[in-house]
Every structure is written in structure tokens, then in C-alpha cells.
Amino acid sequence: RVGDGACCLFGPAGVMFRGRHAGLDKGWFTSLGAGIVLTLAAQAAVFLGEPLARAGLQAARVRLLRGRKVTADAMRRLAAGAAFDISKQYGQALCFAAIALIFAPALPLLYPLAALAFLGMYWADKAFLLRACRTPPAMDEGLA
């Protein structure tokens, strides 16, 4: 028996699962489901836009500053670009996959959204890695 002053997490007196929706009714889809889909769509747009914007900024930086560099070493450093942060990209992909797979059984629209997002992330990261970054260090299965 729970004491009179104790607080429990679950049950009628608990603090968890006391929202407005008892299940996956129509109100859940319009209030929470739409917010989840829109949040993941915005997150996918940011994930796609960031490497492409960084590649564009790197190209503009090279164009603007290449006349000011006098030595070949300075020009190489300018054209080398940023390091490709694989841990950040991997973390973003895992976060997106986890959220999409958790909510996709209730929101089937997340399956094609996730597929398009991962396809876009692949091409954006490929373009960024090949066009704006210096050569990354070799990776193996120890990354996962």
C-alpha cells in the first residue's frame, strides 16, 4: 500500500500518463501527431540545409580570399575546408531514426518522411564531404 504522503508515477494518483488523450483518438492525431510530423519535417530540413549551406559558404570564402593568399601553403589551407564531423552527422541520423521509428506505428506518414530525409541526408552529406571538406580520417566498424 502506498502511503498517504507518497507520490507514485503511474495509476490514477500518479504524475505520468495524465494527458488529455486516453488513447490514439482523433484528437491525438490532430494535436500531437501533427506536431510530431511537422517537427520531424523541420528537423530533416535543417539536417539537409546545414551541410549544403556550409559547402556554399566554403566556396564563397575560397572565391573571396584566394586573391589575398600569396603562398601555395596558404592557398592549400584555404581550400582544405572544414573537417567532416562524422560523430555529429551520425548522432543526428540516429536521433531522427529513433524518433521516426518510435512514432511511425501510430503515424505511418513518418515512414516515407524518414526515407526521404535519409535519402536527402545521404546526398547532402556526400556533396558536403566531396566538395567542401578535407579528406576525413579512415573509419572502421568501431565507429558504431
Side-chain angles (χ1 to χ4, degrees):
R1 177 172 185 250
V2 178
D4 293 339
C7 176
C8 61
L9 289 177
F10 304 105
V15 294
M16 298 288 288
F17 303 117
R18 291 178 41 182
R20 295 179 298 176
H21 307 289
L24 297 177
D25 57 352
K26 188 176 181 179
W28 186 90
F29 286 104
T30 56
S31 63
L32 295 174
I36 291 168
V37 170
L38 289 174
T39 300
L40 281 180
Q43 186 179 16
V46 168
F47 287 170
L48 294 174
E50 188 220 354
L52 296 176
R54 287 182 65 193
L57 289 173
Q58 172 66 19
R61 183 174 158 250
V62 169
R63 277 191 211 104
L64 289 173
L65 298 177
R66 70 178 163 203
R68 297 182 185 169
K69 302 299 176 187
V70 225
T71 64
D73 188 46
M75 190 62 189
R76 272 198 247 25
R77 275 182 289 161
L78 174 67
F84 186 76
D85 190 5
I86 188 102
S87 61
K88 180 180 160 220
Q89 300 301 108
Y90 191 58
Q92 286 177 343
L94 285 178
C95 174
F96 193 88
I99 293 171
L101 290 175
I102 287 170
F103 289 107
L107 298 165
L109 180 63
L110 292 182
Y111 289 121
L113 177 67
L116 289 173
F118 282 118
L119 183 68
M121 280 188 242
Y122 168 77
W123 286 107
D125 287 344
K126 182 178 179 178
F128 179 60
L129 182 62
L130 294 177
R131 302 285 180 201
C133 291
R134 54 182 173 246
T135 305
M139 305 285 176
D140 62 0
E141 66 277 353
L143 178 68

